[in-house]
Amino acid sequence: MINELYQKAFELDQKDELAPFREEFVNEPHTIYLDGNSLGKLPKKTIEQTNNLVANQWGKGLIRSWNDHWIDLPQKTAAKIAEIVGAQPDEIFVGDSTSLNLYKLAFAALHLNQQKKKIISDNLNFPTDLYILQGLIHQQFKDHSLSIIESQNGITVSEKQFEETIDNHTALVVLSHVVFKSAFMYDMAQINALAHQKDALVIWDLSHSVGAVPINLNESEADMAVGCTYKYLNGGPGAPAFLYVRRDLQKQLQSPVWAWFSHQAPFDFSLDYQPKDSIQRFAVGTPSVLSLAAIEAGLDITIETGIDRLRAKSQQQTEFLIELIQQLLVPIGFSIASPLDVNQRGSHISIRHPEGYRISQAMIKPNDGSKIIIPDFRPPDNIRLGIAPLYNTFTELVDSVERIWKIVTEEQFKSYSNERTVVT
Ligand SMILES: *Cc1c(COP(=O)(O)O)cnc(C)c1O
């Protein structure tokens, strides 16, 4: 059976028109990387571009490089992100972290919709998003309440649950477009329409979808969004995040952080605050030039490949991976914790096993000379297998599943500790 699966993977790799893009990245030998949904690989061009920036623009140009190279960098980067998420360049701000951008937008939305007191999210959301909302209620919006929609199966949430929860008291809905654990993907246009019927605003967190699935913020009538660039966009550890506000909403929203980069004329050094009229009213301080420059190559590769081709390969790969899991891993005690309908999921597959943590450790640190396989682990027992269609091959998927099968059937995981590392 395994030989047939390898044969099939070989044929799929042969036919894969995105295969050449793998060479745009640094690929460690003897290592299979299935964590592009947490930290994307390093594009080779990024090495060259950041070296040049550090050695020449910073080293030699110093302060002059602000005018020569850097001052337009945030807007240039924003325009590229806009193309990837189906928005206009003047609707995207790049900078800060996803968490902080969510704070700014959620504050602004609640401030605008003061008369309504209900906030909605779900229990599949990324914890930082819920913490931000809890903090806003605790510190600023004390009469507000947070309604958490509970997934029935830990994998999906139904539209019906939303219809029941969104009402005329709802000020704001905050959801991850693709949820981090199960990879369930919301129908963005549908939720936006439901919320708008009740005059509620929606903020989408695109961190697990941007660069992996088609997003059209304008067409789906999205109000606001945030997202990160270090996952499928390969922008590097801690790369600046972005936020989106649709054009006609921008002037109505007020950032909670008044600072000089959101001021109409920062270099007039006026002592009175006057926010910019544009999306830049959500800026705070000096842009992180080194990290901004490091995002560029990843964005260029994504734009060149085209999100539709990326999605097509990603869907083919998650389908293939599910087939492998069903054949080899379900019989030995795994269950699949992602939607089986390809249209309802993003680009990673979660599998569960009571020994999930030790199995993931055995994958990362083999002691029998096997290939290193890097997934990640999410408590209590999820192993996430992230597929980045820009660089993952079909053969890597067979290798990985065969390896997991071996770790379990040979009980290799038993020689690993259950003690958790800081970052998992
Ligand atoms: C990765 C991720 C984040 C990360 O937030 P940071 O502030 O950049 O650390 C936030 N939300 C979601 C849904 C994520 O997947």
Side-chain angles (χ1 to χ4, degrees), residues 135-156:
L136 281 166
I137 292 171
H138 183 74
Q139 292 165 333
Q140 192 74 33
F141 298 94
K142 292 187 194 293
D143 299 333
H144 285 59
S145 66
L146 179 58
S147 297
I148 299 288
I149 295 178
E150 302 275 334
S151 164
Q152 304 297 310
N153 54 10
I155 300 175
T156 59

Side-chain angles (χ1 to χ4, degrees), residues 97-99 126 128-129 176 180 205 207-208 228 230-231:
S97 65
T98 307
S99 305
F126 198 77
T128 201
D129 294 34
S176 289
F180 80 105
D205 188 333
S207 297
H208 263 81
C228 79
Y230 51 78
K231 293 174 180 166

Side-chain angles (χ1 to χ4, degrees), residues 109 112-113 171-173 195-196 199-203 223-224 246 249:
L112 180 70
N113 259 351
L172 178 65
V173 178
H196 293 163
D199 289 323
L201 292 164
V202 185
I203 303 177
D223 304 309
M224 289 166 280
R246 67 177 157 80
L249 198 57

